[in-house]
Amino acid sequence: MVNRAMMKSFCRTSVAVLTAAAIAVSSSLPALAAERGRSISLLRDAEAEALITDYTRPLLKAAGLGAATVEVKLVNDDTFNAFVADSRHIFVNAGAIIDSTTPNELIGVLAHEIGHLAANHLSQLRAEIRRMQILSALAVIGGVAAGAAGGGGAAAGALATGGLQFGQRGLLMYARENETAADQLALKYLAATGQSAKGMLDTFKRFADQQMFMSAHIDPYIQSHPLAADRIAMIEEQARKSKFFDKPDDPALKARHDLVRAKFAAFTRNAQSVMRLYPPSDTSLAADYARAIVAYRFADPKSALARLDALIKRSPGDAYFWELKGQIMLETGDPRGAIAPLRKAVSLAPNAGLIRVMLGQALVGTGDGKLTDEAIAALTKGIGDDPDQPLGYRQLAIAYARKNNIPLADLASAQGSFAAGDIDTAKKYAIRAQEKLKTGSPAWLRADDIITYKASK
């Protein structure tokens, strides 16, 4: 006989199993796993972020979404994947950038994820998960009740298992519908922005090749995505109807894409892998970029700087070559030497907050009091353009302390801790700053925002 306490425990376990299964059902769900204890390692890179912003801006406009309200985050993961986590963020794996041989391939993936955002699939799927949890729990309770009423253990187990399968299949069917809808929206946005869907089609064909060896054994009712062959057939039929199907990528965009691919490969993969991608026979700008980064990563900064100087000679207007030169000098103990290339990078990319903060860091790193005001200006502007930079706030705190402006130093420390997610430390610094700031001033109000912050549950 099953007592009530055991029944409640079994139901809770069953719902947890269902929820865990649901977490993996869609490209719009990986961040739910992070909410349940897994972490996502993010990358920051001004060059890649600028490129992907240029990719997404017209698509977001076509979808009726504000470009200023949607952010793309880069994930330190070598697999080909992209996903949405809420109504404001698209996550793109480094592997998706490296393995996209053309801009159009990555743009197609981004268009699909924007389709998820525009259709509000994530919140709808979460609501469906809650609904299915309830239905499955009721089915489980029915199975347990049948056993308690004399239906037998086998009958009760079958009913309980059936309830879980019902819930899982229902969610997977819902996810498949969302994926198909996102594909159709992606095709719509690509056509509206005058872009080809060929890259999207090529990407799905690649996935089909990976799936082919197991397709004979796949039950389509337990897949989170439509079977690749079905998906490709729909995409290809619609894509070929577009007058833009054979439209090539813009050469300037392709050149930028190649450089970002090379940078990410060189920074995230081992030297042998990078050299296979960019052998000595490849004399392209992207290949030389990759080799310069590999030289820096593997303890040959002098060679890296020489390679960068050659790159700058070939393309003197590229802000990111100057940025990397400054970064190498800063990180190898020459902050004063880093200032000139970083100033040049800022002049070429004036809205790149990451680069301004690095310039501020170099200025602070010299220890030269004559450069403190310039450091404060660079850091303040850099953080204003890109607030998600704990390092920038910490460098600003150092600069203010050198000016003996302790209240603003404490406020900057509070903001840095807050940006890093250390709320308790942030509040301590904010309280200390507020005590010495003029009541009601902008700085006092910023401190007050941190002091009164309450994390959402």
Side-chain angles (χ1 to χ4, degrees), residues 335-355:
R336 190 172 292 275
I339 292 172
L342 288 173
R343 281 176 176 159
K344 181 67 174 179
V346 166
S347 72
L348 293 167
N351 297 320
L354 280 171
I355 301 177

Side-chain angles (χ1 to χ4, degrees), residues 413-430:
S413 294
Q415 292 173 300
S417 296
F418 189 88
D422 186 352
I423 306 303
D424 289 340
T425 300
K427 286 179 180 288
K428 291 175 184 177
Y429 276 113

Side-chain angles (χ1 to χ4, degrees), residues 358-378:
M358 192 183 298
L359 171 59
Q361 184 183 1
L363 292 163
V364 170
T366 65
D368 187 342
K370 295 178 182 178
L371 298 174
T372 301
D373 288 339
E374 184 185 352
I376 290 172

Side-chain angles (χ1 to χ4, degrees), residues 149-212:
L159 283 171
T161 302
L164 287 174
Q165 290 178 345
F166 162 77
Q168 184 179 6
R169 285 187 175 230
L171 279 172
L172 292 171
M173 180 177 70
Y174 190 82
R176 287 194 302 274
E177 292 171 355
N178 283 356
E179 292 301 321
T180 299
D183 290 343
Q184 292 170 341
L185 287 171
L187 292 166
K188 176 183 175 182
Y189 303 151
L190 290 168
T193 54
Q195 299 183 86
S196 173
K198 187 176 185 301
M200 180 180 172
L201 179 62
D202 290 343
T203 298
F204 278 86
K205 284 182 175 179
R206 189 186 315 160
F207 289 152
D209 290 340
Q210 294 171 2
Q211 193 185 69
M212 197 65 69

